[in-house]
Amino acid sequence: MEWNWAFAFAILPRLLEGAKITIVATFLGFLIAIVIGLAIALGRRSQQAWIARSVGLCADFIRGTPLLVQLYVLFFVLPNIGIVLSPLTAGVIGLGLHNATYIAEVYRAGIESISRGQWEASKACNLSIGQTWRHIIIPQAIPPMVPALANYLIAMFKETPLLSAITVYEIMGEALGAASRTYQYLEPVTMVGGFFLIISLVCAYLARVLEERVRIYQ
């Protein structure tokens, strides 16, 4: 089995188009995950027991089922009740919801790391609950979360090949399409592996830089 440079260069434009979809899906899914993850973390701390319990059960259900099954539900099952999503939309929502349940635990750990004295000082200063969260708790809780959030971003990036199961032509989908037409798997699969490796290393480096800057800021 020899490397075919002509074939590699021929499929490169399609792989680059797929790479754009991969990056877009990752960052949109991550945006959904950090927003919904915060909502889950706050919901589980609600003083209303039924809210905290309901949010916890929903999060446990999503976290306890495979992402691939959730993608199938979003894309293939929801149309049966009149909800039709495009492949990319279903993929982004699936990535976001699934990872939000894990990111919620990162938020929870960060929030619980704040000493009780901070809450008591906020009450002593007559700050409302909203002001306490916005000005005291969240600004202190988020910086220690940066490494974990960066790791989840990288993990989400490496989960995007699952989107090919619902016909999202991200980079892995394009690679498998080219391989199935020509029965040449070496070049497309190797190129995809190299792409994921390079982007993961770049993201890891940027995460370390951000972590250092946050530490200096603190």
Side-chain angles (χ1 to χ4, degrees):
M1 183 179 295
E2 296 182 357
W3 183 271
N4 188 333
W5 284 106
F7 178 57
F9 283 115
I11 64 174
L12 183 58
R14 297 296 302 174
L15 294 185
L16 291 177
E17 288 297 319
K20 294 178 184 178
I21 300 299
T22 295
I23 293 172
V24 168
T26 300
F27 282 96
L28 290 180
F30 186 69
L31 181 61
I32 291 174
I34 59 177
V35 172
I36 296 181
L38 179 58
I40 293 173
L42 296 180
R44 298 192 73 166
R45 293 180 59 87
S46 173
Q47 295 180 351
Q48 301 294 326
W50 68 272
I51 294 178
R53 190 174 297 112
S54 299
V55 172
L57 287 174
C58 289
D60 290 340
F61 176 78
I62 294 173
R63 189 165 52 240
T65 54
L67 173 57
L68 185 59
V69 173
Q70 295 166 14
L71 293 173
Y72 277 129
V73 170
L74 288 169
F75 188 64
F76 293 111
V77 177
L78 289 186
N80 293 329
I81 58 174
I83 302 175
V84 179
L85 302 174
S86 69
L88 182 58
T89 301
V92 168
I93 292 174
L95 282 174
L97 286 177
H98 185 78
N99 285 278
T101 60
Y102 293 96
I103 288 178
E105 294 302 305
V106 176
Y107 282 125
R108 182 183 62 81
I111 292 170
E112 291 182 354
S113 68
I114 306 301
S115 67
R116 185 174 183 82
Q118 297 287 324
W119 297 92
E120 294 173 350
S122 299
K123 290 182 179 179
C125 293
N126 293 321
L127 295 179
S128 67
I129 294 296
Q131 290 173 325
T132 300
W133 279 106
R134 288 196 306 272
H135 302 300
I136 305 298
I137 305 304
I138 292 179
Q140 293 184 76
I142 287 181
M145 303 177 194
V146 170
L149 292 177
N151 286 334
Y152 276 112
L153 174 61
I154 296 172
M156 287 180 64
F157 175 69
K158 291 187 286 188
E159 287 177 342
T160 55
L162 291 175
L163 304 187
S164 61
I166 57 172
T167 71
V168 176
Y169 289 100
E170 41 70 61
I171 189 169
M172 192 62 183
E174 293 287 0
L176 293 178
S180 64
R181 290 191 297 270
T182 61
Y183 299 101
Q184 297 184 61
Y185 285 85
L186 174 62
E187 294 81 4
V189 172
T190 302
M191 293 168 73
V192 169
F195 168 77
F196 277 101
L197 176 61
I198 291 171
I199 298 297
S200 295
L201 291 176
V202 170
C203 289
Y205 171 75
L206 293 177
R208 286 196 296 271
V209 171
L210 180 59
E211 183 180 355
E212 287 297 325
R213 292 194 175 184
V214 169
R215 186 179 294 114
I216 292 173
Y217 174 77
Q218 286 181 300

